[in-house]
Amino acid sequence: MNLPMLGNIIAITVYLGGMLLLGFRYTKASNSADEFYLGGRSLGPYVTAMSAEASDMSSWLLMGLPGLAYASGICSAFWTAAGLALGTYLNWLLVAKRLRHYSAVAKDSVTVPDFFEHRFHDHSHLLMGLSALVIVIFFIPYTASGFAACGKLFSSLFGVNYVAAMIVSAVVIVAYTAMGGFLAASTTDFVQSIVMSVALVVILVFSLMQAGGVGPVVDYVSGLEGFVSLTQTHQAAGAEPYGALAIVSTLAWGLGYFGMPHIMLRFMGIEDPSKLKVSRRVGTLWVVIAMAVAVLLGVLGLSMVHAGAIEGVGDSERILIAIAGRLSSFGFLPALLAGVVMAGILACTMSTCDSQLLAASSSVSENILHGVLGLNVSKKASMVVARGTLVVISAIGVFMARDPASSVFGIVSFAWAGFGGAFGAVVLCALFWRRANRWGALAGMIGGGVMVFVWKFALRPLGGLWDIYELLPAFLTSLLLIVVVSLLTPAPGKEITEEFDAVKAMQ
């Protein structure tokens, strides 16, 4: 084994070992369903902020976004990042504090399906069952895509078997999440956000030096047709227009935040709601800086290819791996830093996987088995079921990702649309519209979820005006159905409206 590879392995091993230690630390603090799934509402403002954003970013931050800028310039990457930054800020501003208060008032709800049922006093369990099913449908393949990303990273770095690499990654993620539950996932996500930040700084400085500095980079990319435009994309055959419809469609990514269960759980789990303003500022600032640096890294990667520092990559999403490989070639200490970069890519993926596993597990064990089917078990048995469900869901995810050609980012995009379409408008109406009722919520959840599939597979392939990211029409369909159906059915009862007014008074 050569020294550069040894440096990579040491850095990644230390990182993975640290995640396991954190999971073990919180094992004793997760002895009930409330503690396992929501940490007893004990998160501090900084852990809330950074764990929410780390669990959001996934490997898209250090692979997808730089790859997009590398392949087609800053236009599409910029508008995607702008939509996500705006969605992040509005989610913290509008949803976080009110959801924290409302989830406590609504029978101290510890999962998102719990909140939907208790907010609308749905004694039929239809809302709980349907929302739990939506979470399982979209989170299992989402988790599988994360396992696949880990497997591809390790197999491309060290030449090991893809399936073996994926299973090792999955075992580490499952181990610390199953041991420590919500607190372990949140704390490791906080640490992983720091690892991501270090990785971004290291690779930014190195790639800028290797590309020759600011001047040569600006001169080179300015000469590429459409590369630095916000209304054109750069293609091998020349610039292509990126019109208003494409911009609106891309900005719609931000709507997905209102329906993300793993982010809503962070809002529900904060200890002191009055400190959410700190969380909002920290989280939003980190997201904006991280995405800006990620876009810049794609630009610098292309400039490094032009300068002869690295060879071009066939898969644009592997550009950071190529840059880290170049860093490793300078010796043992640089290879350690390159290992930190690789750990940063792992952190992006793992911080999302653990949160998704927890949300999917809670939907099965707490909401479907206990809430809908009415299976009452002891506290000890409940924890066995919770951890066992997490392991089973992980095994299904590993099975789904067993093919090295498994799609990663297409699944992420579709699952993001699924949650935003099914839950986004329902969450906003539940929090801000007094007249919303359970029939409207059910109609919105079903209509938005179905529209994601219809638009994605039946309408969007038609092209032209139909070529819109499926999240936007799904969100609007859901919102329309909630309003129309709520107005056509009986108004909420006095107890429901009194709870709504009580929460409103807390703001």
Side-chain angles (χ1 to χ4, degrees), residues 486-505:
S486 292
L487 293 176
L488 291 176
T489 50
K494 182 180 178 181
E495 189 177 357
I496 297 176
T497 55
E498 285 178 348
E499 285 182 357
F500 183 92
D501 294 338
V503 173
K504 184 177 179 181

Side-chain angles (χ1 to χ4, degrees), residues 225 233-240:
E225 188 178 0
T233 59
H234 173 72
Q235 304 295 334
E240 292 186 1

